[in-house]
């Protein structure tokens, strides 16, 4: 049975470097990491996975809590988190469950009771659910992506400003009848980010003296959701808006498909703006507010690593900007 | 500091039941699991995460290797795996990296050298990359979803038959000029599943005496990919096929959007069939071959658990059927 010293010798590095590479603690270059892990494999070196954890008190694992993987935003984010964790030699423990579901509550209980991670990245946590308060009981540093919570670092898109800029773009083009497409049937129950987007839309409308024209049309954040909701909204030519801000690009694309089916010209009769710069946005010529979920995921890992290395490091609170990307779905009011 | 006995007493269960619930080994009802984890939380019970692993030699963790999360098929599958693991009290360690990338090779090295899992679910592994052979060195049971490999259990869609049935559907409707949309520029380099779909298409064409009409048009497995490839294929009215089998629904939907832009009537001038029954298929009225990735994910976990409990259990090899779902994108040749 080979030892750590054998692995270090074969890889041509010190024992401490070999240990760092195999445990993923401290800095090791990608090249060294590859050489050491290869040497370990070739020698059949077996470090008991639990042993390093007991010795260091570290699991070299980060828990990622995600509401779902089947949306562009979350999938991109997850890819960014994975890439950055891999760079740091850290494993990713996934806890993937829909908000408010029974499975999700159970998943969190499970995660908290096991605490098999050195830190947590929690995505799209709703403050009312008190999930962060519960997670803090596990006494691990936490970074949230989305709403800020006491005791955790956070990264969020400036949702209010994003929707504000998008609405202003439509107003600048001369539109006065602009609807917001997204959120639940009762806007009071909108999630944190959606509520801020609605707020930004309403503020921009009010600043332009258009508060009476503001209307919020509930729609799911998906292509079929946007399609269904836009079908109702656009069906009546008399009450149809000339501008539409969708809560996300998937909803916007659904609305564009519905409009085409109804032979409503975009942007001739209807201007549409989304939020995301989804992979489909370019194909649909969709004007949108670009955000970078993959980069948000990478940043979350870096913020978490700071606090994993130094638990007394101050909490960070990052607010990310988005940028207007003008394509062919918006034009001056006809 | 509270002990396991305190937790068991508070939850009103035996120590062994409390231990099973906290370690996720053996059967515990969902209700008991919730009660025990709640009691542990309330008492601030701290079982060292590495200790249970050292004692039992088990990590209660399953590694999931996935090429990417941002496709409907993989996201659905991941959700199914997560749900079933949670039911069994097992954690999910995610290794998410694109085929053939440097990051992927490094990720596998990392996973194998640490072996912090009791079993592996490997999705969309390409046999030529010898990834399963490398994973087998970690001496953990493996279930593949996709190509079968020696030494691993497997679940796969009957890709050949699926494409065969889809092509026959078009042939039955009187189409003779049917193209296959999908796969890389060099069909010889198609991935395992895509190659079998191409095979099924070619076989069905040959059986109907249409081998000379068969043509394979490369396209990425995504909506933008289908859109771009169909743009070229459908542009020339003289050489345009009347039937189209797409490698997956996302490609099919991209082709449908391209056809609409070119004012080509579906199904009047062009019949389109996909494979998946993606969440967008119904909205687009897409005729498709339905498969159930979420259920495939659940089945993979169950097959893996059998071998985690009994390493001598025989390897399983499951081939899943798909079903033709006829909607409005296919019609008799006009």
């Amino acid at each position: 049975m080979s030892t750590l010293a054998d692995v270090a010798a074969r890889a041509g590095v010190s024992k401490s470097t070999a240990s760092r590479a195999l445990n993923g603690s401290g800095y090791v270059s990608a090249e060294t990491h590859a050489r050491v892990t290869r040497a370990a494999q070739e020698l059949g070196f077996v470090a008991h996975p639990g042993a390093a954890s007991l010795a260091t008190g570290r699991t070299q694992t980060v828990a990622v809590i995600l509401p779902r993987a089947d949306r562009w935003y979350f999938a991109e984010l997850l890819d960014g988190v994975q890439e950055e964790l891999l760079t740091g030699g850290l494993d990713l423990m996934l806890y993937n469950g829909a908000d408010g579901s029974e499975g999700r509550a159970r998943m969190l209980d499970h995660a908290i009771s096991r605490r098999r991670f050195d830190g947590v990245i929690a995505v799209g946590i709703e403050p009312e659910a008190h999930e962060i308060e519960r997670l803090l009981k596990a006494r691990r540093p936490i970074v949230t992506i989305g709403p800020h919570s006491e005791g955790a670092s956070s990264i969020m898109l400036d949702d209010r400003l994003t929707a504000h800029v998008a609405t202003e773009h439509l107003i600048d083009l001369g539109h006065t009848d602009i609807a917001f497409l997204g959120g639940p049937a009762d806007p009071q129950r909108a999630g944190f980010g959606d509520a801020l987007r609605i707020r930004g839309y309403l503020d921009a409308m009010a600043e332009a003296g258009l508060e009476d024209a503001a209307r919020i049309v509930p729609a799911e954040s998906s292509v079929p959701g946007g399609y269904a909701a836009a079908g109702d909204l656009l069906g009546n030519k008399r009450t149809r808006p000339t501008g539409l801000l969708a809560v996300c690009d998937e909803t916007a694309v659904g609305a564009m498909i519905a409009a085409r089916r109804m032979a409503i010209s975009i942007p001739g009769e209807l201007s549409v703006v989304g939020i995301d710069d989804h992979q489909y946005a370019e194909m649909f010529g969709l004007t949108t507010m670009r955000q970078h979920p993959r980069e948000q995921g990478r940043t979350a890992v870096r913020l978490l690593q700071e606090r994993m290395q130094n638990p007394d490091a101050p909490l960070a609170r990052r607010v990310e900007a988005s940028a207007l990307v003008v394509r062919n779905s918006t034009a001056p009011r006809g």
Side-chain angles (χ1 to χ4, degrees), chain A:
Chain A
M1 180 127 167
S2 47
T3 65
L4 183 64
D6 299 332
V7 174
R10 185 173 189 112
V13 299
S14 70
K15 260 177 70 176
S16 63
T17 299
S19 168
R20 280 207 308 283
L22 294 172
N23 293 325
S25 56
Y27 177 76
V28 179
S29 73
E31 194 268 322
T32 302
H33 182 272
R35 211 161 67 223
V36 172
T37 50
R38 197 149 302 134
Q41 267 186 273
E42 286 161 3
L43 293 170
F45 174 72
V46 178
H48 191 285
S53 166
L54 271 186
T56 63
R58 299 260 178 122
T59 62
Q60 307 302 340
T61 299
V62 167
V64 176
I65 298 173
L66 203 68
R68 55 196 307 166
D70 68 343
R71 290 278 184 277
W72 173 82
Y73 175 82
F74 296 122
E76 284 282 313
L77 195 88
L78 186 59
D79 279 349
V81 167
Q82 176 87 72
E83 287 163 12
E84 193 70 19
L85 287 177
L86 196 62
T87 304
L90 295 164
D91 279 321
L92 191 169
M93 194 81 91
L94 183 68
Y95 295 100
N96 179 22
D99 301 338
S101 65
E102 201 208 324
R104 175 151 174 135
R106 199 169 154 217
M107 180 186 79
L108 279 180
D109 282 344
H110 178 81
I112 294 164
S113 68
R114 294 234 225 158
R115 303 182 333 291
R116 292 164 57 170
F117 42 81
D118 300 333
V120 180
I121 294 175
V123 185
I125 295 260
E126 291 298 329
E128 309 85 71
H130 302 288
E131 291 182 338
I132 294 297
E133 292 162 38
R134 290 170 59 207
L135 281 167
L136 283 168
K137 287 193 191 163
R139 304 207 191 175
R140 300 286 184 272
I142 303 175
V143 175
T144 61
I145 304 182
H148 180 78
S149 297
E150 281 306 311
S153 293
S154 64
I155 305 170
M156 63 176 287
L157 181 69
D158 192 337
D159 288 290
R160 202 202 69 83
L161 183 61
T162 295
H164 195 280
V165 170
T167 309
E168 278 184 329
H169 170 61
L170 291 169
I171 293 170
D172 289 348
L173 290 169
H175 296 277
T176 53
D177 191 357
I178 302 167
F180 182 94
L181 194 66
D186 176 3
Q188 299 295 324
R189 301 179 64 101
F192 184 86
D194 290 358
L196 284 173
R197 291 179 189 187
I198 290 172
R199 185 75 262 149
Y201 158 76
L202 290 174
D203 287 352
M205 291 295 276
E207 286 161 26
L210 297 171
E211 55 267 67
D212 293 343
R215 47 179 163 157
I216 297 159
V217 180
E220 249 191 63
S221 295
S222 70
V223 176
Y227 180 79
D232 297 338
L233 175 66
L234 304 176
N236 186 333
K237 194 173 175 180
R238 211 176 43 77
T239 60
R240 183 196 299 160
T242 68
L244 201 55
L245 168 59
V247 68
C248 69
D249 281 359
E250 281 151 305
T251 303
V253 163
M256 290 178 81
I257 294 169
R260 294 226 177 94
R261 286 251 172 114
M262 300 164 112
I264 297 167
S265 155
I266 295 175
E269 296 169 271
L270 178 70
S271 284
V272 180
V273 186
I275 295 174
D276 270 343
D277 203 24
H278 184 283
Q279 57 175 337
Y280 295 173
E282 185 159 16
M283 182 179 91
F284 281 92
L286 178 64
T287 294
T288 189
M289 301 298 299
R290 177 180 290 162
Q291 66 167 330
H292 299 280
R294 191 176 286 261
E295 197 46 51
Q296 289 170 24
R298 290 181 163 280
T299 305
V301 173
R302 288 191 290 260
L303 291 179
L304 188 65
Q305 281 174 309
E306 281 172 23
R307 295 200 62 234
M308 280 161 52
Q309 277 149 25
N310 174 15
D312 299 324
L315 294 171
R317 188 166 180 170
R318 298 267 298 252
V319 178
E320 306 276 321
S322 55
L324 177 66
V325 180
V326 178
R327 296 199 179 95
N328 303 322
S329 68
T330 49
R333 184 181 166 195

